[in-house]
Every structure is written in C-alpha cells, then in structure tokens.
Amino acid sequence: MEHLQAMRGLAPKDFKSDTKPVWCPGCGHFSVLAAITKALAELSLPREQVAVVSGIGCSSRIPAYTSVYGFHGVHGRALPTATGLKLARPDMTVLVTGGDGDGFSIGGNHFLHACRRNVDMTYIVMDNQVYGMTKGQASPTTDAEWDGSKLTPDGPCIEPFPPLKIALAAGANFIARGSSSDPNDLARLIVDGVRHPGFSVIQVLSPCVTFRPEQKEWKKKVRTACVDYTDDPARAARRLMTDDGFNFGKVLFKGTRPAFVPECSDVPCAIPELESGFAV
Amino acid sequence: MEHLQAMRGLAPKDFKSDTKPVWCPGCGHFSVLAAITKALAELSLPREQVAVVSGIGCSSRIPAYTSVYGFHGVHGRALPTATGLKLARPDMTVLVTGGDGDGFSIGGNHFLHACRRNVDMTYIVMDNQVYGMTKGQASPTTDAEWDGSKLTPDGPCIEPFPPLKIALAAGANFIARGSSSDPNDLARLIVDGVRHPGFSVIQVLSPCVTFRPEQKEWKKKVRTACVDYTDDPARAARRLMTDDGFNFGKVLFKGTRPAFVPECSDVPCAIPELESGFAV
Amino acid sequence: MLERFVSLAVAGSGGAGVVTTGNLLLDAAARVGWYAYMTRSAGPQIRGGEAAAMIRLGSAPADAHDDHYDLLVAADWESAGRFAAELPLGATSIVLGDPRAGERPPFLVDAPARMLDLPMTALADEIPGGRANMVALGAIAELIGLPDEPLLAAIRHAIGAKGEAAVEASVASLRAGRSAVPDIPDFPRLEPRPAAPGMRWNISGNEATGLGALRGGVRFVAAYPITPATEVLEWMAHGLPRVGGALVQAEDELASINQIVGASYGGVPSLTATSGPGLALMTESLGLAVAAEVPVVVVNVMRGGPSTGIPTKSEQADLNIACYGLHGDAPHLVLAPHSVADCLMTTQWAVHLAESLQTAAIVLTDQATGQARAVIERPAELAFIGQRVVPESVAGYERYALTVNGVSPMAIPGMAGGEYTADGLEHSPSGTPSSQAADHQAQLDKRLRKIAGYNYGEHWAEIDGDADPDVALLTWGSCTGPCREAMARLRAQGWRVRLVAPRLIAPALPGPMAEALAGAPRLLVVEQSHGAQFLRYLRAHYDLPGEVRSLHQPGPLPVRPGTIVARVTNWS
Amino acid sequence: MLERFVSLAVAGSGGAGVVTTGNLLLDAAARVGWYAYMTRSAGPQIRGGEAAAMIRLGSAPADAHDDHYDLLVAADWESAGRFAAELPLGATSIVLGDPRAGERPPFLVDAPARMLDLPMTALADEIPGGRANMVALGAIAELIGLPDEPLLAAIRHAIGAKGEAAVEASVASLRAGRSAVPDIPDFPRLEPRPAAPGMRWNISGNEATGLGALRGGVRFVAAYPITPATEVLEWMAHGLPRVGGALVQAEDELASINQIVGASYGGVPSLTATSGPGLALMTESLGLAVAAEVPVVVVNVMRGGPSTGIPTKSEQADLNIACYGLHGDAPHLVLAPHSVADCLMTTQWAVHLAESLQTAAIVLTDQATGQARAVIERPAELAFIGQRVVPESVAGYERYALTVNGVSPMAIPGMAGGEYTADGLEHSPSGTPSSQAADHQAQLDKRLRKIAGYNYGEHWAEIDGDADPDVALLTWGSCTGPCREAMARLRAQGWRVRLVAPRLIAPALPGPMAEALAGAPRLLVVEQSHGAQFLRYLRAHYDLPGEVRSLHQPGPLPVRPGTIVARVTNWS
Ligand SMILES: Cc1ncc(C[n+]2csc(CCOP(=O)(O)OP(=O)(O)O)c2C)c(N)n1
Ligand SMILES: Cc1ncc(C[n+]2csc(CCOP(=O)(O)OP(=O)(O)O)c2C)c(N)n1
Ligand code: SF4
Ligand code: SF4
Ligand SMILES: [Mg+2]
Ligand SMILES: [Mg+2]
C-alpha cells in the first residue's frame, strides 16, 4: 500500500513533522498518529490542503506532529475551532483530534452540537478513559469503580458516558470505532470518514500506559466487528445497546443527511448596494 | 384534590409569590408555574425545604414566582448550580426549571453530565423551540426550516436536537414529557419526578405565543401517551425513535440506578487528625 | 450658536404605537434635512409592556440627549410614570396628556412642566381607522414645525403596503392632531432645510457596527444571541451572505469565539458580537487568539452589570474585563466608538487593526449607542480594509519569527510550504512548544512590541475644543456626546474647554495623550460606571496632568450635559 | 547574620530518582531541626523525561531560592543541560558529575563552578540493589553536615515497607557516597539543631492551601483538574470526606464554579481551585456570586500565560484577570499568600472574609509556591472560621436589605420564613428584579460599601524592615521571599529598607498602604509579570509616594534576590 501511495505522491512519513512527541513510551497515541499519516497518504491530499485541529491533552498534541496545517487550541474547543475553519474554508480537509476528556467532558456540548450540525470534518477521539495530560483523573468514559485517581479515591461512582450512543442520538451520520492496536485498520476508517460528506466520529481505543497500565491488556480484548455498517439508526441503536465497547474496525452507522453549508450568495453584491437600505 | 391538599397543609397558591410574571399573556409558562405549585402542594413539602433553581430565559424566571427558596443564576448553568446545592444540602428538595435554549444549547454539556451523574433532583424544561427572552431565535429543538428569526432568515438548517433521546443515551433514569395544555397532568408528572430517587427529566411543551404563534395549535396536536413507562432502555429507545414529539403525560422510562451521593464520613474527624500527616 | 434642537419623549403601553411614532418622526426629519437621535426604553415585560421613545431632533447631529425634554406625550399616565427617572422635565417643558387618562399622576404633581390636554383617543375615535399615536404625531409635528409633506412620505414608506385607506386614516389622524394642539409661541421649532436625497442615513448603532465590520472585510461571523447585541448579528445575517460571507448561530459563546478563531486561522476576517456575560465566557479563547496570533474582533455591546444585571439598559462597566480580562500577559486591542455614526468607523478600523497586528480586538459599544437610531450625514468611504502580512517566500518559513515590528508573516492554509501549527502553548519562532524562559521572553516581547509600537495615526482619539484650555474633559464611548454638548455650553459661558475621547483604549498611547492634554490645568474624567473604571485605567497607564476629578455615574440613566457642566463650574 | 543556608540542585533523567533524593533530604532536614524549601522542574514529556529538584536548606525558614546553587549534582549532562537557565552557578559552586556521563557539556564549559567527579553509578553497581541517587544523597549529606541518623529515619519512613534489604542497600549506597566525596573545607555546612518531634511540618503550598480551606470551614469543593492546581484538590479529596465534607469532580470549570455557588447558597462554605484558563471560564459566574451575594472562594494557582502558555511553570500574570476580569462593576476580594506556609493562613482568611462579606474571593498562588515543598514551623491555630450573618428574625425579611455596613443577613435554605430568590439580575432590597436606576445605585453602593468599609486589621499585608527607609520594596506573592532576602542583604550593606507585601490585593486599602510606605523616598515594585501588572494595579488604586521604579520579569525563572539588590543599588 505504501508503495502505491509513494507513486501517487506523498508517503505517510511525509505527513510527519520533525517535532518529537512528548508522549510516554508505549502510549497508544503513537499508533493513532501513524494511522493519520497513513490515511493522509492514502487520500493523496496535498499537505497544504489539510488541517488538523485539536484542544488540549496528550492526544491533542497530534497537530504539531503532523506536517500539515495544524491548530492546537484550548481545552475542549477543538470542534468549534474546526467548524469555523471548515465553514470559512470549505476547500480544506479538516481533521479534529483529541481525547475523551477534551471531547466528552469539557467539550461535551460542542460534541453534541457538532453531531447535530453535521459539518464536513472527521473527529478522531483517542479514548483512554482517563485524563492523561493532567496525570490521571477519571474522564467521562472511566468506569464507575476505577479508584486510581487521588481526586476520586473511591472511584468516580458515575456510570461511564457512551460516546457513540450519544453521537447517534445527537444525529451523527458516520460513527465508527477503531483501535490503536491496529493502525492500518484505523487508517482505513479515517479515509472512509474523510470521504464521508458530513461529520464523522471515530472513537479510538488508545491506551494510556502510564495512568491506566491495565489498558495494555486491551489489545487482547478488542475484536474486529463482524458486521458492516447500517444506515438504519434504529438498528445502529440496537447494536450499540449490546456493544461491550471492544468491537472495532468497522463503521457502525452511516446516514445520508447532507452536510451543513451556510447560506451564502454565489454572486456577491457590492457593499454600497447593502448601504442603500440606510439612505433616506 | 386542592381541598385535600389544603387539609394537609399548604395549597398551590401558597407556593406562588407576589411577583407579577413578566411573561406575555397566553405564554405556556404560566401553566407550568401552576403545575409546579400544584405539585408542591401535593407533595406537602414545607416551603423552606424546597428550592427552585434556574438559568436565564423567560422560563427561567420561575423561581421568583414561587414562594420557596429560589436561585436565578446565569444562562445555561442551572443544572450545576442545583447539583451543588443538592450535594451540599441533601435534605432540600431541588427543582430545576428552564428553557430549551438554556438547557440544550448553552447548557447542553451540563444536561449530558446531569443525566449521567444522577443527582436526586427534578429538571423541568419548558420547550418552546425558540429563545423567547432574546426575542425569537432558533433553539436546538427548532425545526430546520423555521425561518422566523432574523438571525437565521433561511432557517437554522440543522436537524432539531432530540432531548429525550439524548437523556436516555446519557443515562437519565426518569424521562417524561408533559404539556402546558394540561397542568394537572404535568403536576402529576412533577410529583412523580420528585419522588423518583435520582435525576428526573421532564420535557414540557410550552408554547411561545409571541415568537412562535403557530404553537398555539399545539393543544390540538398533543395527545396523552397510551402506554405507561418501561424500565427497559432498549424499549424506551425504540419508543423514542418513533415518537413524533407530541405524546405527553406519561413517564417514558424509569430506571433503578441509585442516585449519586458523594463519599463522606458519617463520623467526621477533627482537623488536627488530618494535620498529623504533615508533622515530621 | 446657530444650531437648534428639540427634545421630545413619547410614552405609552405596549399597544400604543410609541415606537412607530418615533420611527416616523425620524424618517420625516431626515427628509427635511434634520438630524436625529432616538433611544428607546421598555418595561420588564417581554412583550406588551410599556414603552418610551426619547427623541432629539436638530439642525446639527446630536449624540446625546438634553438635560430635559421639551415635550412629553403620554398616552397614559401609568406607562409614563414607569419611566419617570428617565424623563426629566424642565420649567418650560410641555406635557401632553389625554384627558381620558384621568388625574395627573404623582410623578408629575411636583414637576415644573406645563400640562396640556390632547384628546388623542377621542380625536382618533372620530376617524374611521384613526389612531391615537398618529394624532400625537400630528401634534408634535405642529409644535416643532415639521411640514406635512415629509411626514406623508414617511407614512407612505412605512404603511403604504397596507393600502390607501390605512394611509388616509393616518393622514386624517395627523391633521386632527395638528389642529388640536394650541399655539405655544416659545416652543422650540426647527426650520426645514434643503436635503439632497440619499445624503441622510437613518441607522442604528448596532447596524452601523455591522456595516463597519463588513466594510473592514469581515466575511465570517459566529455568534450566540444576547441583548443588546443581537441587532448587530441580525443585520449581518442579512448582509453577510449577500457579499459572499456567512453567519452561523453557535451553541454558546465558547463555540462562537472558537469558531471565529478557526475561521480567521483559515484566512477569513472574522467577528462575533456579544454583551458582558458572553464576553466573560470568551476571555479564555481571546487569550488563545493573542497567543496564537490569530486576528479576531469581538464587539461587546455593554449593558448594566454585574452578572445578568440590567440587560436592556446601558452602562460603561465592561471596560475592566475588556482591558484586563485575559489571563496571563495578553496585550490586545480595545476600541470604543463614541457615537452611532462612529460605530461604523471604529468597527471598521478594529478589523483593520486586528488583521494588521494579528491579534484580538474588542470593540466596546453600549446599549445606549447600539440600540439608538440616528439620522446622520451619509458616512464617507474609509480605506481600512483588513490586511494580513503573509510570507513572501516560504523558504525557511517560521510562523512566529522575531521580526523588528513584531508582526510575523502568517501563512494561510492552502499556501504550500507554509504549513505550521498555531499554538496557545508558548513556542519558539517556528511554533514548536517551548517552556524555555528565553523563548517566552522573546514571544512576550514580540506580542507587546507589535501592538505598542504601531503607528495608530490620528484616529486614536476625538480631540476637540480650545488650545489653551481651563479644563479638559476626558471621556469615552457614549459619554462623548454629553461631554461635547457640555463643552459647547461651557464655551458659551466663556470657558476654554478641550474634549479628549480616545477611540483606542488599549494599548495606551502616552505620547499622543500627553499632547492631547497638554496645558490643561484641570481634568475631568467622565464615564458611566460605578467603579470609575476609566479613571483607574487612565491612572494605571498615563501620567495625568493637573488636578484630576472624576464624574462617574452608573447606568442606566445617561450622564446629562448639565451634570457635566455643573461638575466643572463647581470644581472642588 | 547568624542564619546559614545551603542551596543544592539535583538533575537527571526520569528514572534517576531525582525527586526521591529531594524528598529524603527534606524529611531528614526536618528531623534535625532545619528548614527547607524545594521546587521541582520537569521537561515537556508527560512521564520519564528529565527532572530537577532545587533545594534550599537553612537554619531559618526560606521562601525563595538563592542567586545560585552551591552544589549541582548531575546524574547525566543532557538532563542537567535542559535546565541550564534554571540552575545558575557561582564561582564557588561545586558540580558533581558522574565520570561515566562523559565530557563536560557546553553549558558548563564557561560556568565559573568547580567540577568534581562522583562515580555514582559505579559505586552503586558495587552494592547489591545499590542506587546511584542514594550515592548522591550520601555525598550531599557529607558535604552539608547532615548526620546519618535522620537520613536513616527518612529512608525507613519512605521505603521501610519494601523490606529490610531495600533499606540496607540504600544505607550502603549512602555510605559509599559519603566516602567518595572529597573534603571541601569552604562548602557551606549547617549545624543540626534540637527539634521537638512534630514541631516541623513538611508540606507543599498546594497542601497548605487545602488545609487552610478546611480550617476556614470549607466543606464542599467542586473542581476540574488542571496543572498546577490539582494537588490542592487531591489533598482535599482525601481530607474533606474525613471531616464530613465532599469533593466532586465536575465536567468543566463552568460546572465547578456554579456547583460551588449552589452549594454555598445552601449554606455550606465552598471552594474551587484552578489555574488561568479555568479562571477565565469562571468569571461570568464569579460575577453572579458578587451580584447575588453568595460567598465562594476560588484558588487560582498561576502558571505561565497567556493561553495554555507554560502550564508547568510559574508566573504572576493572572493579577489582572483576578482583579478586573468580571464584567460590570463587581467588587470582590483578591488575596495572595506570600509563602508556602502563608498559603494556609491566607486561604483560611479568604474563606473567613468571603463568608463574612458574602462575596467572591480569589486566592492567587502560583506554581512556584503551590508545588514547592517546604519544611516549616508547625503553624499556629487561627481564629478565622467562615461565618455568615443570618437573619435574627424573618419578620419582613429582605434578602438584600440596605444595611449600614452593606452586609445583608442571609437566610439559609431550610430557614422557614426566609424564602427568597437569589438573583444575578439587579434587584430591589427584597430581591425582586428591578431595572430602576435607584435600585441599581443602592445595590452597587451596598456591594462596594461592605467590601471597602470592612476592617481588615493587620493581616492585610506583611510589613517588615526599617522605620525610616532609604527604599521600600513593594511586592506580592512568591516574589516576597526574594524581596525579603534582598532586604536582608541590603541591610547588611547598610541600607535602610522596608518590605511591604499586601496579602489583600483587592480591595485596595489606601490608608494602611500610605502608612506602610510613609517616609520611603524610593519605591521598587517587584513582580513576576511581563506587563508590570502589579505596578499598574498599584498606580490605579494608590497614590504611590516618592520615586517609583519597577522590576517586572516574566516567568518561568524566579526573580532572584541578587537581581533585586542590583536594581536598588543601581537606582536610575
Ligand atoms: C480550561 C482548562 N481546564 C483544564 C485544563 C487541564 N487539562 C489539560 S488536558 C486535560 C485532560 C486531557 O484528557 P484527555 O482529553 O482525555 O486527553 P489525554 O491526555 O488522556 O490524551 C485537562 C483537564 C486545561 N488545559 N484547560
Ligand atoms: C452567557 C449568556 N449568553 C446569552 C444570553 C442571552 N439569553 C438570555 S435568555 C436566552 C435564551 C432563552 O431561551 P430559552 O432557554 O429557550 O427560554 P425561553 O425564553 O424560550 O423560555 C439567551 C440566549 C445570556 N443571558 N447569557
Ligand atoms: S500519560 Fe498516558 S495518554 Fe499521556 S502520553 Fe503518557 S501514556 Fe499517553
Ligand atoms: S416571549 Fe414567548 S416564552 Fe417569553 S414570555 Fe412571551 S410567550 Fe412566553
Ligand atoms: Mg484521555
Ligand atoms: Mg425556549
């Protein structure tokens, strides 16, 4: 595959920057980065036509590690930043990267509204069920009993947040799950997501080896989903109801709602024309 | 019913304050206020043990119109304010009132996390599919085509947000829909919600006669739901999938997840005991 | 002084058509070559409560109300009473009341004004389709010398679509009002002037703000509705798509500010508009715009604070948050227009500056100016179009290069070879995150340098009045109008007065300010805030000369020219 | 001066046990009656990157680092090099390096220090289970005069649970280090002092903050994690449930601030802790707390700004947002502790004041103080326990009654007859929303009066030094330690110096400040910000006497005592 890409243009490594990741050795985010660069090569996009936008967190560091345009914004606001960029610059391919804390805790409202608004961009959430960057607190996807954080020494005691169920309920039109244990597969999902017109959500199981060392076992637990996607929300909802969170590698739901594009005249008028409304 | 309440203690009118509502004549929120005072009378709660908390909006004005403790906070933050109050003062009965803008637009993240956290309080959202207070803009529950706002003259062009589906997906354990056209029925739902241990969401169809005059027709469209609640989330999800938004008067879903109560020692120790950890 | 003004107020309940009366007066005034300034006030009810229109007409532009109203027309006493504090009357004021409205109300019992009857409802009742507010309009027109023709044109423009019968009923009502009003010889009258069509604009401050943004090059807006900023957005929602731009209603202010940061990063000049509570939610991301050097403009239409405060009324108390509300050392721009007309120029200039300096600009207007409607001179074209410095070549491109003037060329997505990551983390010149003290110092220096060292030219302030003054009035925003009027009155009394109203609040420009204030032995700082925020800001950043005194008064009542005059003449 | 100090730094890669070495030194130091101050620095890696511990030990408390380190122990040169700017060395400094680490690195080539070999790894390799960092610890102990016994106790306390073999390996490593270090006669040594057990505390600034909150009566905390505030919360998450309170991790800062507003409205003293970006998200609701008069305390542990800035390093640049970041006129309290130990007192006082005055209090600490660990004198008990004025009787109760001192009795939910609605809308005394100018003025006056008129007593500032000074040092927060040390040095040179460090930043107290600065012909304002935020705040609110000069330096490097001394002695 890489060979073919090289013939067409840029190879995955051309989408990597020279900046050395701050990540812990073994962190799942390395594979996600690899999958993103692979996907970009596969999509044969010119570097300058791609932007990767993020908030704050270990996972949100990705933009600086790619060689495309990047935006490392503030915590929780990656989706609105990317929304603004895409709406103002529809010619750009926009990826959004981040973590479960950035996306589902502080950024939860934008997640809801991005699913609903359906702007054409691809959201890759590295879910490690923890706030890695701030040294290990419970995130919305953390199990109720996890007692590894000094901030919630008896566990968060709240049921974890089901991101894909919420995405579906909020109207997302492309919902998939990947795993950092299979970057090739993830690259394929990302390619699919980018090609999908509208908002695509890809939840990626990406272990935090430092604060959730038990997640190293995930690679044994995950399994490739056996059925392919449905375009029926009811069926997708049923599947998600019985899902244990470890099926990956397939798109779960794809809808056909058109992407949101703001009203805008093709033949712009001159400002004085508007001003005539004020003249008496 | 009122007679019985009067015998037991306070009547609905005792839960009304002297402050004259700023609402437009005919606004649905009047009935919701009536339903709340009826419910409080029915629950025979002492005034001082009840607090009504809200954000900002026409609907959020309710606290000042009741004679219990009230909190009129900032836009979108009614749920966290109420959460803090309830967690710090578990003896209080806490109602939260607000609108679709306050709760689902700016307050969407708190809505998600309140459903998930399951603190024992009752959230009454007056849904009029518009921002009444700011003179009529599209809210998250507004139809994509509604072109009545100068801010979105061609309509918001975004699919409306399905609040009860989201509530279910986010883990809410008591989900119901009422209508301002039937305040007695709504009062019954509120009583049920207050009695339910944990977070209860009651969406109330409450017309904005000024900025959505067509909603005056709602009273013709609404119908009492014919089936009673389920405790099976899958079944509730199916029902919500086929729901047209006008079934009301019944609880749709009731779960049994225990309410969130933070860890706290019953036998508090003295501070010097804690301080001993610092002594060398 | 040759210029003449007349001040009038109309008050009534929701259905009384108070605002229609005001709008027709403004339109007609424009047609006879007058200028006008109108503010509105409403009760707490969302709809249908009482309303008042406060109008000043004149042969010259006015950006403020007078100390009192020459004429108050009350459709009913209760409604008018609700605005008692907002409707000061003088000894020569006339109050026209409907005899059907009953007894003169308590707030008028001690008023010095002359009370006259105008049977508005009775006269209207006699005309099929007649309306009391049109009777009132006729009476007003008669009193102030407004001829029939422009009024008819205004009415035709407003309700012509409703058919000839409606127009005729209005005209008949007008005439009835004209005949019913007694002759009041000493009432101030204005002379019609020849006016070339199109040379007068009828525009609100909020509309002017929107137009200024468009003229400056703004083509993307994301916003969340909030009173009293919504009209800026409504006008832009109508205007933007027509000029090839777009407006998006966001889920909240956190989204709107970050959407415009994203859009602007994409090379499109972007803006949002909000009011105090919304601005508070935006400060974190304004800091991002400053640190990542992404131009954005935030228009903040101030209302009464703190917290939800008094959302429908005016105050100048968001100066602190605008100047100082960002965490860390985050130098940025704060601008303030000083009149309805100036909203256009200042917003346009703000876009120009934000784009040129790659930073955040906050434009502070207020409810009084934003929701005021004025008849003004048709504004001139201005050369301020947002312009970014882009890299000339991408060889060895560094996004945050340490340039002499502090502005680093900015690659725009789509530009091959310019790929970089914009970052709110401190960074080296290339944009790579860095926690080294030297990088931090270099970038902090650079971000300050570009703003502090820029040549802002003459536009930084309105400066007017005498060269060698007895007193200088230092003010900002919507207090400029009252100060200008106070200056005129003081000069008429023989005082030498200078007026200094900075349009650029931050950064401070010590050199130009020292020059502007030179020679003034006394300085009165005038503002509409309880905490004297402007005075404190000035003290922090300038060495103020002479004896400094402060006239600070919270909203919602406007600072009146007479109050300023009194403070100067009773110096202590 | 009789007091003696020694400054040392240990640097190495992630696995080198740098922090363990530092912690053991502090523990042992406490056991021999010394005082200590330790800060840490880390590279950008989340885990496993390089780390440095900077330690100052002394016979008296120290709240700052010296100008340079007497000793630098480098486990490897690359790691140490990363901190070059943070580890200044002097002519008499010793650098201990492992000969295995190779060539002396560039940053040391021109360093004035004396280079010595310490074969840490080789010696450790000879001991089964031996560790190089323990060898280094032994060497340090030998150089500074720290006996074996307290070190053994510290080791046993730290790793005793790992079994006797581990302890013995450490002890053997220690001894190897002791013997390997050459005798350096002029190296600063401290004398052990008799210390009563329990009379020294080993505590971090963030822990002291948490304890102060608990002592002040805080029983509810809601917060969202953020560096460097998280340890305040972690300690409280452990402590609060034990004293009958609760801590909740919220979904974001908007939730945390509003949760504590709700909890406090319920009568329970409440607090949150955050850092710059989080504080920015809280200002809207801080305004609500001010307007609705609900006491809350927000601890802001400052880090490098603007925006995400330098999250792991220190700066004092959130003064502006803390003092001015609320929209509208929203007077509130801003406090700042000036040392690790003072975090306890100041936070406790902040809770007391917020509760007494029913308003929002912001406590500004910083990364340097918050994450510093110090060996201090056991703190005294203080009488500051949060106390609200509650209504004595509910007859005719008005929540926002216009009292003389501005504090209106506050009914607590559950109190029958006290039912009222707390409101961020402007209101009449009863709490009913009002947009009347008179109500607005009355409530603004009241909210200002209660804060400006309160008697804050002696605690408002640390004031020290000479009565009739040649120069006064005016500073705040973590610059107080360096200023105190600079004062000592200047006085040793014959200068008369006064130190003034306000603990209460807002409101300004012009009277006490004038008294504190009286007679100082020169004033040096010292702070760690690029924009001289403290200086500007002072200018805005005080009439500063004499010649005023500013020493403002951004983070992350601390302001060193020598820099302050130089600024004073080279006055210009
Ligand atoms: C407003 C704000 N609040 C808090 C923080 C601190 N913070 C930085 S990253 C982060 C959580 C990151 O978790 P996640 O998004 O899951 O990413 P991960 O590090 O696990 O990849 C937090 C709380 C911040 N930077 N800004
Ligand atoms: C931070 C902030 N942004 C915006 C506003 C303006 N605002 C007040 S109420 C409201 C919407 C209210 O709509 P909803 O909650 O549906 O209540 P309704 O009036 O329809 O009952 C808005 C946008 C505000 N008060 N604060
Ligand atoms: S802390 Fe966890 S998420 Fe962050 S870099 Fe390390 S392993 Fe990855
Ligand atoms: S504007 Fe709409 S929601 Fe508000 S009071 Fe009027 S009818 Fe009710
Ligand atoms: Mg995570
Ligand atoms: Mg609504």
Side-chain angles (χ1 to χ4, degrees), chain C residues 315 329 440 445 530 533 542, chain D residues 315 329 440 445 530 539:
Chain C
E315 199 163 62
D329 284 304
H440 189 39
D445 286 348
H530 189 257
Q533 298 187 6
Y542 294 103
Chain D
E315 199 163 62
D329 283 304
H440 189 39
D445 286 348
H530 188 257
R539 284 177 54 107

Side-chain angles (χ1 to χ4, degrees), chain D residues 421-441:
Chain D
T421 293
D423 210 322
L425 277 171
E426 194 53 282
H427 36 253
S428 69
S430 71
T432 309
S434 167
S435 53
Q436 293 295 322
D439 281 323
H440 189 39
Q441 179 85 49

Side-chain angles (χ1 to χ4, degrees), chain D residues 159-294:
Chain D
I159 64 162
K162 292 192 189 165
E164 205 47 34
V167 173
E168 270 165 25
S170 289
V171 172
S173 306
L174 264 185
R175 301 244 157 91
R178 277 202 191 275
S179 353
V181 79
D183 189 34
I184 303 174
D186 57 347
F187 196 83
R189 292 171 70 88
L190 304 176
E191 292 298 317
R193 308 195 152 195
M199 290 312 288
R200 287 279 180 285
W201 277 19
N202 178 340
I203 193 166
S204 76
N206 278 344
E207 289 167 348
T209 300
L211 178 58
L214 245 58
R215 279 192 176 183
V218 167
R219 289 300 177 271
F220 184 80
V221 171
Y224 189 72
I226 188 165
T227 306
T230 311
E231 298 93 349
V232 175
L233 304 166
E234 286 177 344
W235 190 84
M236 296 195 87
H238 147 91
L240 264 175
R242 283 170 183 69
V243 299
L247 178 140
V248 176
Q249 185 180 318
E251 56 270 30
D252 61 18
E253 286 87 352
L254 302 163
S256 41
I257 182 74
N258 283 286
Q259 280 197 24
I260 67 167
V261 168
S264 175
Y265 164 79
V268 177
S270 299
L271 170 146
T272 189
T274 189
S275 189
L279 180 61
L281 290 172
M282 293 181 183
T283 58
E284 188 203 6
S285 298
L286 278 167
L288 171 65
V290 169
E293 306 198 48
V294 179

Side-chain angles (χ1 to χ4, degrees), chain C residues 119-136:
Chain C
M120 296 172 249
T121 45
L123 288 172
D125 285 351
E126 285 168 19
I127 300 160
R131 293 198 29 99
N133 65 326
M134 289 295 162
V135 175

Side-chain angles (χ1 to χ4, degrees), chain D residues 303-314:
Chain D
R303 60 192 219 181
S307 195
T308 311
I310 310 185
T312 54
K313 310 233 167 184
S314 206

Side-chain angles (χ1 to χ4, degrees), chain B residues 6-137:
Chain B
M7 284 182 54
R8 269 190 254 142
L10 300 173
K13 69 169 170 28
D14 298 318
F15 288 98
K16 277 214 174 88
S17 77
D18 301 333
T19 307
K20 183 174 166 261
V22 296
W23 296 322
C24 311
C27 176
H29 304 346
F30 282 104
S31 302
V32 181
L33 173 60
I36 290 173
T37 56
K38 249 191 239 291
L40 292 176
E42 166 75 18
L43 287 158
S44 333
L45 289 164
R47 275 201 289 243
E48 68 272 16
Q49 284 303 122
V50 181
V52 183
V53 178
S54 73
I56 299 290
C58 296
S59 35
S60 295
R61 290 281 186 135
I62 284 209
Y65 307 148
T66 69
S67 63
V68 300
Y69 278 93
F71 195 102
H72 187 215
V74 295
H75 190 40
R77 317 295 166 207
L79 285 169
T81 312
T83 299
L85 172 60
K86 181 68 190 180
L87 294 179
R89 288 293 306 277
D91 59 310
M92 295 292 295
T93 296
V94 178
L95 304 190
V96 192
T97 59
D100 43 320
D102 191 73
F104 307 143
S105 196
I106 192 168
N109 200 31
H110 310 304
F111 178 55
L112 272 183
H113 288 276
C115 291
R116 195 167 96 72
R117 192 178 278 120
N118 202 28
V119 169
D120 184 15
M121 54 194 188
T122 305
Y123 184 30
I124 301 160
V125 195
M126 285 151 258
D127 191 349
N128 53 13
Q129 305 175 357
V130 79
Y131 297 169
M133 183 62 117
T134 48
K135 308 211 182 294
Q137 295 81 26

Side-chain angles (χ1 to χ4, degrees), chain A residues 104-106 108-109 112-113 116-117 139-140 154 156-162 165-166 169-170 233-234 237 241 257 260 263, chain B residues 104-106 108-109 112-113 116-117 139-140 154 156-162 165-166 169-170 233-234 237 241 257 260 263:
Chain A
F104 307 142
S105 195
I106 190 168
N109 200 31
L112 271 184
H113 288 275
R116 194 167 94 74
R117 191 177 279 119
S139 90
D154 305 296
C157 302
I158 315 178
E159 284 306 301
F161 173 104
K165 268 198 234 177
I166 303 272
M241 289 268 181
R257 201 147 61 84
F260 174 80
E263 284 299 320
Chain B
F104 307 143
S105 196
I106 192 168
N109 200 31
L112 272 183
H113 288 276
R116 195 167 96 72
R117 192 178 278 120
S139 90
D154 306 295
C157 301
I158 315 177
E159 285 303 302
F161 174 105
K165 270 198 232 177
I166 303 272
M241 289 270 181
R257 203 148 60 82
F260 175 79
E263 285 298 321

